[in-house]
Amino acid sequence: MSEIFNSIISGVGITDVIDVAIVAFVIYKVLGFIRETRALQLVRGLLVLVLITILSEQFNFYTLNWILRNTLQLGVIALVIVFQPELRRALEYVGRSKFITPQFAQMDKERVKVLTAAIIKAVDYFSTNKIGALIIMERETTLNDIAETGTKVNAEISTELLGNLFYEGAPLHDGAVIVRGDRVLAAGCVLPLTQSKTLSKDLGTRHRAGIGITENSDAISIIVSEETGIISIAVDGKLSRFLDIKTVEKTLLNIYLTQIPAEKVKVPFIDKIRRRRNAE
C-alpha cells in the first residue's frame, strides 16, 4: 500500500499541484456565486435530472434514459438562456480590474465631500417634501447603454440641478439620473427591473428599477419614495430601507473615500424602533 502511495506522490509535479489548486479555486468561486443568486434552485433541479439519468441507465430504463439524455443535450442551450442575467453578472465581475481607477478616486477628498454634500442636501429635500427620486452612482462598470435611454446632461453635480431634474412635472423627473464622477451624465433614464420574487409588494417600479441596475452592475442606487419620503439604498442587488440622511452620507463617503467593492458595501444597521417610527 505504501509503495502505491509513494508511486502516486512521485508522479505528482509542481504543475499538477498548481493545476488542481486553480481548478479548485474556480469551482469554489462558482459555487459561491451560485449560492448568492436564484441559480441555486435551478442547479439543484439540474443535479436531480442528472441523478435520474444515471439511475435510469443502471436499471435499464431505456425509454426514460433516452428522453433524459436528449433533454440534457438541449439543456446546455436552455441553461445559457435561463442563466443569462447571472452569466452576464459573473462576466462583468471577472472583467472588473482592480487596476481600473473609479472616477471618484481621481478627485481629492475635499472635492468628494463637497459633491457628497450636494447629493445629500438634495436627497434630504426630496425626502422631506416626498419627491420621488432615483440617483444611480456609476462605479467601475460603465452605464453608457443605460444613459442612452435617457437625455444626456453632462453637467456638474449640484443640489439645484438634481432638484430641477426631479421636480414634479419636469420632463425627466420619472426616470433615473446617472452620476459619473463629479457630473450628472444623463437623466430620465430607463433601468432594468429586478426579477426578484421576494420583494415586498409595497415596493413600486422606482425601487425595483433601483435594485435591478445593481444586479447588473456595481452601481449604487439612492432611492426616495414619492409616497412616503423613505430613503433607501440598493447595493449588489440588496435593498436597505428606512435610512436617515446621516446614514446615507456615511455610506457614500465610505464608498468613495475608501473604494470599497460594491459586493462588500454594508449599509449601517437601522434598529427596529426607527423603522417602525418611519413606517408610521
Side-chain angles (χ1 to χ4, degrees), residues 50-152:
V50 172
L51 179 61
I52 295 175
T53 302
I54 296 173
L55 291 176
S56 65
E57 184 176 0
Q58 293 295 323
F59 289 100
N60 298 322
F61 297 155
Y62 300 111
T63 305
L64 178 60
N65 184 260
W66 180 85
I67 293 174
L68 290 174
R69 281 186 174 278
N70 285 275
T71 300
L72 290 176
Q73 289 177 1
L74 297 175
V76 176
I77 300 175
L79 285 176
V80 173
I81 298 173
V82 173
F83 287 151
Q84 188 270 335
E86 284 78 12
L87 290 173
R88 177 179 175 181
R89 187 176 174 189
L91 291 174
E92 287 178 346
Y93 176 78
V94 172
R96 292 175 201 156
S97 172
K98 297 301 179 181
F99 298 103
I100 299 176
T101 306
Q103 296 285 342
F104 270 75
Q106 300 172 4
M107 296 180 287
D108 58 63
K109 293 184 178 181
E110 292 303 319
R111 179 62 175 161
V112 171
K113 290 180 180 179
V114 170
L115 294 173
T116 301
I119 296 173
I120 291 302
K121 186 176 180 180
V123 171
D124 189 27
Y125 175 79
F126 298 149
S127 177
T128 302
N129 294 276
K130 294 185 178 179
I131 298 175
L134 178 54
I135 303 173
I136 310 302
M137 315 296 292
E138 183 188 78
R139 304 190 75 208
E140 293 182 22
T141 304
T142 58
L143 302 176
N144 290 333
D145 56 333
I146 300 297
E148 290 175 357
T149 65
T151 301
K152 292 291 182 68

Side-chain angles (χ1 to χ4, degrees), residues 176-231:
V177 161
I178 308 296
V179 173
R180 173 180 291 174
D182 60 349
R183 306 184 73 79
V184 174
L185 177 63
C189 299
V190 179
L191 306 181
L193 299 182
T194 177
Q195 300 300 315
S196 175
K197 305 298 182 183
T198 60
L199 293 178
S200 171
K201 294 182 179 180
D202 296 334
L203 298 178
T205 305
R206 181 176 286 110
H207 287 81
R208 295 179 184 275
I211 298 171
I213 190 63
T214 67
E215 291 175 340
N216 297 302
S217 71
D218 62 346
I220 309 297
S221 298
I222 303 175
I223 310 161
V224 180
S225 172
E226 186 175 0
E227 290 75 20
T228 62
I230 293 173
I231 305 172

